Amino acid sequence: MLNISGGLLGFYLQPLVTFFLPTRESLDQAAYARGQKVGYFRRLLALAVDYCVLGIITFAIAVIWRLLKLPTIHSEMLQYCLATGAYFLMLPVFWRGKTPGQSLLQLQIVADYHPRWAIFWRQLLLFFIVIPSFQLWRVTLDAAVASGQQHFDVYLFIIGLSLLPPLLFTGNFLLSWVTKRPQLFYEKLTHTTGH
């Protein structure tokens, strides 16, 4: 009698208990979504690999350039724009959203729509605005120190303005890290994600 009453009680309580448990489909969807998120460590590692590959390529080009005795490019900004533009802008656009570092770590930039343009704008924002902005305040500070007391208030204002982009990016990074949403502002603007 006790066995039968326990079975009947379990039979009638089962719908109430399973209502609070997740379904198999929702568990599968959550596991799939977790697998699609790319952590910051993998992104940073891919970036480090890419910069190593870019360094090797630019060194080889510089050696060949000197051996051929071609005129040198004295502008560091022009060198940065050419190397970074070719490697980080054009390569992902034509190589399905991957650079060699991303390919090695099995990462890919995926766009919601118009993938080539979205990837181009994402990379342009990242490598020509966000990353250089971390150097801009130092260049301005050097110019302020070199000028002495002349126009110090203007330089102080410019230093404050040039600190805004790195501080905003760092805040965005920390906020997305804490909330476990790895999509940064430049990815939201361009509707891209890293897979």
Side-chain angles (χ1 to χ4, degrees):
M1 182 71 157
L2 187 62
N3 195 16
I4 292 173
S5 62
L8 287 173
L9 183 66
F11 177 76
Y12 289 113
L13 288 178
Q14 182 263 337
L16 293 172
V17 172
T18 56
F19 175 75
F20 293 107
L21 295 175
T23 63
R24 182 173 176 88
E25 290 84 23
S26 66
L27 288 173
D28 289 342
Q29 287 174 350
Y32 181 74
R34 243 189 333 268
Q36 292 296 314
K37 289 182 181 175
V38 178
Y40 291 121
F41 181 73
R42 283 182 63 197
R43 288 184 186 193
L44 197 59
L45 194 58
L47 185 64
V49 169
D50 282 332
Y51 270 117
C52 289
V53 171
L54 181 61
I56 292 168
I57 291 171
T58 54
F59 177 74
I61 289 173
V63 167
I64 292 170
W65 201 273
R66 287 198 178 183
L67 288 175
L68 295 176
K69 297 183 181 181
L70 296 171
T72 59
I73 300 173
H74 295 290
S75 171
E76 288 181 24
M77 183 182 283
L78 182 61
Q79 290 174 355
Y80 175 82
C81 288
L82 290 175
T84 303
Y87 191 86
F88 288 110
L89 280 179
M90 293 296 133
L91 195 60
V93 166
F94 294 113
W95 203 20
R96 297 183 185 157
K98 295 181 181 182
T99 60
Q102 291 171 336
S103 183
L104 181 70
L105 292 168
Q106 298 177 350
L107 301 177
Q108 182 178 11
I109 304 167
V110 179
D112 293 341
Y113 44 85
H114 304 295
R116 289 184 189 245
W117 281 109
I119 291 170
F120 176 82
W121 287 113
R122 176 198 185 272
Q123 297 294 88
L124 185 76
L125 279 171
L126 179 61
F127 291 101
F128 285 91
I129 294 174
V130 173
I131 292 176
S133 72
F134 282 89
Q135 296 293 324
L136 181 62
W137 69 272
R138 288 184 43 218
V139 171
T140 310
L141 184 63
D142 290 343
V145 169
S147 72
Q149 293 293 328
Q150 248 182 347
H151 307 294
F152 188 72
D153 53 342
V154 174
Y155 279 114
L156 198 59
F157 178 72
I158 294 172
I159 289 170
L161 283 179
S162 63
L163 276 173
L164 277 178
L167 289 175
L168 290 173
F169 175 76
T170 305
N172 178 241
F173 169 75
L174 291 174
L175 184 65
S176 67
W177 184 49
V178 168
T179 59
K180 306 270 189 218
R181 294 182 185 149
Q183 192 176 27
L184 297 171
F185 78 92
Y186 56 88
E187 294 170 325
K188 285 183 182 180
L189 284 174
T190 58
H191 302 284
T192 58
T193 56
H195 288 300

